[in-house]
């Protein structure tokens, strides 16, 4: 055997396998393989995935049109038009488009009409118009596809027709879209009978909303909201959650939001990232009651994560009034500028007979708590903490490494059932050296 002989084994693979491999890379790179050899020249035209991302075309001179101006929007438009013309459109199963439009959206409409074929399985659209007057209606057949399973829409104006029928859609993600109010949200969800995962992300709160998620199939629901734009404005939202098969629940919103949650018997993970606004400090009692009502609806969760503001709200209450968390095995608390979280952790442990792991997350200043512990070290840890918790995780440590070994020593000595203490920090090398000098 001549070991110096180079054999191109990849080119010898069947077309179906090569097309499957090319389907995992952006179309820009799939087209570029046409220059490898005659074997690859037209192979990309049979790839069942079209993945166009304008960000990848900066400084890219198209293989299809070598005379084009690299990085220009015209180059990108010509590239997509040419690919759509030469590709076997009837075979398209996934279409992805990320594009910032500085001109008329007419080409986008044409691409979508062509791409949404009878075989389309996944559709991801992420684009917005720099010209505010520009508006585009998505093709009606997008909302009446019998084959579509995944639909992801981002940063775009969305007009929902009066009739939506997506009988096989399982994943729906709506991020920072424009024009989707409560009415059209319900029309959209009503047409997705087998939806299993729903993601809603908003940029700004313009008015109060009622978000009704009532479906027996849904397994995962995530709602997030960016707080920077209107931190001084509080438009409370009302969430109505009636999803008996829900397993994953994540919400990032205002602490004044109201939740009406039917008992979620199959819930596994609950992430509650509710934040204060500057306007509602006088309504802590009402917010506390709403949070307690929410707890009752998610009491079957196995993992529960609470934001720093929620911990602060609960710590300020005279009566925590926590339900029994029979299935809870992991609890994550965002802790900050005071040490009242100890009382809250103890109360949670009392209500959670199966709790094994306690995570203390320092997103807003655990080091100050450690400083306080150092000045006034506790005689012992709470009784319930001694008997139950097997693992404690300290996250997001940034400075004051000298206090960490002392705190760790208290935990290791006082929590008899503790099997693992994990410390995560920004500078693990410094922490490792500090602990090494003390143990």
């Amino acid at each position: 055997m001549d070991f110096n002989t180079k054999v191109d084994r990849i080119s010898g693979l069947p077309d179906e396998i090569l097309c499957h491999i090319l389907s995992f890379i952006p179309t820009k790179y799939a087209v570029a393989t046409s220059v490898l050899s005659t074997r690859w020249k037209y192979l990309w035209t049979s790839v069942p995935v079209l993945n166009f991302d304008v960000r990848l075309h900066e400084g890219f001179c198209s293989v299809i049109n070598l005379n084009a101006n690299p990085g220009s929007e015209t180059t990108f438009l010509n590239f997509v038009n040419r690919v759509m013309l030469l590709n076997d459109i009837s075979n398209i199963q996934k279409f992805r488009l990320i594009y910032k439009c500085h001109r008329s959206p007419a080409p986008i409409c044409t691409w979508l009409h062509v791409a949404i074929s009878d075989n389309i399985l996944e559709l991801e659209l992420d684009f917005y118009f720099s010209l505010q007057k520009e508006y585009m209606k998505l093709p009606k057949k997008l909302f009446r596809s019998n084959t579509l399973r995944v639909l992801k829409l981002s940063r775009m104006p969305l007009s929902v027709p009066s009739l939506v029928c997506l009988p096989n859609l399982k994943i729906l993600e709506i991020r920072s879209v424009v024009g989707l109010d409560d009415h059209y949200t319900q029309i959209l969800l009503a047409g997705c009978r087998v939806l299993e995962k729903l993601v809603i992300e908003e940029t700004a709160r313009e008015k109060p909303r009622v978000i009704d998620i009532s479906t027996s199939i849904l397994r995962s629901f995530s709602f997030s909201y960016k707080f920077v734009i209107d931190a001084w404005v509080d438009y409370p939202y009302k969430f109505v959650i009636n999803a008996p098969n829900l397993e994953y629940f994540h919400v990032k919103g205002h602490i004044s939001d109201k939740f009406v949650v039917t008992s979620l018997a199959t819930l596994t993970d609950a992430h509650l990232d509710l934040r204060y606004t500057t306007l509602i400090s006088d309504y802590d009692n009402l917010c506390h009651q709403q949070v307690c009502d929410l707890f009752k609806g998610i009491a079957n969760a196995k993992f529960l994560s609470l934001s720093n503001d929620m911990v602060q709200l609960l710590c300020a209450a005279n009566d925590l009034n926590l339900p029994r968390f029979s299935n809870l095995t992991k609890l994550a608390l965002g802790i900050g500028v005071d040490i009242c979280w100890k009382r809250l952790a103890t109360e949670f442990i009392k209500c959670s007979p199966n709790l094994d792991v306690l995570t203390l997350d320092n997103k807003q200043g655990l080091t100050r708590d450690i400083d306080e512990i150092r000045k006034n070290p506790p005689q012992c840890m709470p009784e319930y903490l001694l008997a139950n918790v097997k693992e404690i995780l300290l996250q997001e440590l940034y400075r004051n490494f000298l206090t960490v070994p002392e705190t760790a020593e208290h935990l290791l000595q006082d929590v008899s059932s503790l099997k693992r203490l994990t410390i995560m920090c920004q500078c693990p090398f410094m922490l490792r050296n500090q602990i090494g000098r003390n143990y």
Side-chain angles (χ1 to χ4, degrees):
M1 179 182 294
D2 185 1
F3 291 99
N4 294 323
T5 302
K6 296 181 180 180
V7 179
D8 184 2
R9 298 186 183 278
I10 295 181
S11 296
L13 295 173
D15 287 359
E16 293 78 7
I17 295 179
L18 293 177
C19 288
H20 181 69
I21 295 173
L22 292 178
S23 69
F24 290 98
I25 63 176
T27 300
K28 164 190 167 180
Y29 301 127
V31 172
T33 63
S34 62
V35 302
L36 295 176
S37 67
T38 304
R39 170 78 170 83
W40 291 81
K41 188 172 183 179
Y42 298 107
L43 194 62
W44 64 270
T45 63
S46 299
V47 176
V49 175
L50 291 180
N51 183 350
F52 300 111
D53 188 341
V54 69
R55 298 169 299 183
L56 299 178
H57 287 256
E58 296 179 358
F60 173 70
C61 197
S62 173
V63 174
I64 296 179
N65 185 3
L66 296 177
N67 295 321
N69 179 23
S72 70
E73 185 173 0
T74 301
T75 300
F76 179 72
L77 291 172
N78 291 339
F79 175 79
V80 177
N81 286 332
R82 191 68 172 167
V83 169
M84 298 289 287
L85 180 64
L86 297 176
N87 198 278
D88 182 7
I89 296 300
S90 63
N91 189 42
I92 295 300
Q93 297 179 0
K94 179 179 179 179
F95 184 82
R96 180 174 183 261
L97 175 63
I98 299 179
Y99 177 41
K100 181 178 180 179
C101 185
H102 297 280
R103 55 185 72 184
S104 170
I108 301 176
C109 296
T110 303
W111 299 338
L112 294 180
H113 276 287
V114 174
I116 303 174
S117 63
D118 293 335
N119 297 319
I120 190 73
L121 299 177
E122 298 185 32
L123 183 63
E124 180 178 350
L125 304 177
D126 182 351
F127 53 83
Y128 66 97
F129 304 114
S130 59
L131 301 177
Q132 296 183 355
K133 295 182 179 180
E134 292 294 346
Y135 190 78
M136 182 194 72
K137 280 190 175 183
L138 295 176
K140 289 186 177 180
K141 63 179 181 178
L142 164 63
F143 298 97
R144 299 173 187 174
S145 171
N146 291 323
T147 59
L148 195 62
R149 296 180 183 176
V150 178
L151 178 59
K152 300 178 181 181
L153 305 175
S154 302
R155 300 189 302 168
M156 52 184 292
L158 182 61
S159 177
V160 179
S162 57
L163 177 61
V164 175
C165 184
L166 298 170
N168 289 300
L169 190 70
K170 294 184 179 295
I171 298 176
L172 175 61
E173 296 185 7
I174 307 171
R175 302 179 186 274
S176 304
V177 300
V178 179
L180 189 65
D181 59 14
D182 295 341
H183 174 67
Y184 288 109
T185 299
Q186 291 307 306
I187 291 178
L188 183 59
L189 296 180
C192 308
R193 297 294 183 179
V194 297
L195 192 65
E196 295 183 357
K197 179 181 178 180
L198 174 62
V199 176
I200 300 177
E201 179 183 285
E202 292 191 347
T203 301
R205 293 194 177 196
E206 299 177 351
K207 60 182 179 180
R209 289 193 61 184
V210 177
I211 299 178
D212 189 345
I213 309 298
S214 299
T215 170
S216 60
I217 305 296
L218 194 68
R219 296 182 180 276
S220 174
F221 171 60
S222 177
F223 176 90
S224 59
Y225 163 71
K226 298 179 180 178
F227 302 91
V228 179
I229 295 179
D230 54 355
W232 291 85
V233 178
D234 183 45
Y235 290 120
Y237 280 18
K238 181 179 180 180
F239 294 85
V240 180
I241 312 295
N242 183 12
N245 288 306
L246 196 67
E247 298 175 356
Y248 179 87
F249 177 57
H250 172 269
V251 60
K252 182 178 181 181
H254 285 177
I255 211 163
S256 60
D257 292 340
K258 184 176 181 180
F259 295 84
V260 179
V261 180
T262 304
S263 182
L264 306 177
T266 61
L267 188 64
T268 301
D269 289 11
H271 301 258
L272 306 180
D273 187 3
L274 302 181
R275 311 284 185 88
Y276 273 115
T277 64
T278 56
L279 302 180
I280 65 167
S281 58
D282 296 334
Y283 300 96
D284 280 0
N285 291 334
L286 175 61
C287 295
H288 173 258
Q289 184 58 50
Q290 292 179 171
V291 169
C292 289
D293 292 340
L294 173 57
F295 282 158
K296 293 176 182 178
I298 62 172
N300 290 315
K302 296 181 180 179
F303 173 82
L304 178 61
S305 172
L306 303 181
S307 66
N308 175 269
D309 285 355
M310 292 193 68
V311 171
Q312 183 179 342
L313 175 71
L314 293 170
C315 288
N318 294 324
D319 182 10
L320 290 175
N321 193 25
L322 297 177
R324 183 176 177 82
F325 293 90
S326 300
N327 301 324
L328 192 65
T329 60
K330 296 181 180 181
L331 173 66
L333 300 179
I335 60 178
V337 296
D338 50 47
I339 58 174
C340 65
W341 54 266
K342 291 184 187 178
R343 170 175 168 255
L344 179 62
T346 301
E347 292 300 318
F348 261 107
I349 294 170
K350 290 180 181 179
C351 301
S352 311
N354 294 308
L355 186 65
D356 289 333
V357 180
L358 174 62
T359 299
L360 304 177
D361 200 332
N362 175 46
K363 291 191 181 300
Q364 297 189 26
L366 176 59
T367 52
R368 298 187 187 181
D369 289 347
I370 295 176
D371 287 340
E372 183 63 28
I373 292 174
R374 186 184 184 189
K375 295 175 183 177
N376 302 293
Q379 296 299 319
C380 64
M381 300 302 288
E383 176 183 353
Y384 290 93
L385 186 60
L386 298 177
N388 291 65
V389 176
K390 297 180 177 62
E391 178 177 345
I392 295 180
L393 170 64
L394 302 179
Q395 289 195 128
E396 302 289 344
L397 293 176
Y398 294 98
R399 58 189 185 276
N400 293 351
F401 295 103
L402 295 176
T403 66
V404 175
E406 298 177 13
T407 306
E409 184 175 2
H410 284 297
L411 294 173
L412 291 172
Q413 291 179 354
D414 295 330
V415 185
S416 58
S417 62
L418 188 65
K419 294 183 178 180
R420 178 185 299 175
L421 171 65
T422 304
I423 302 176
M424 300 178 65
C425 68
Q426 192 178 46
C427 302
F429 177 76
M430 294 176 61
L431 178 61
R432 189 181 302 113
N433 287 345
Q434 179 61 33
I435 291 180
R437 288 195 293 269
N438 288 270
Y439 293 96

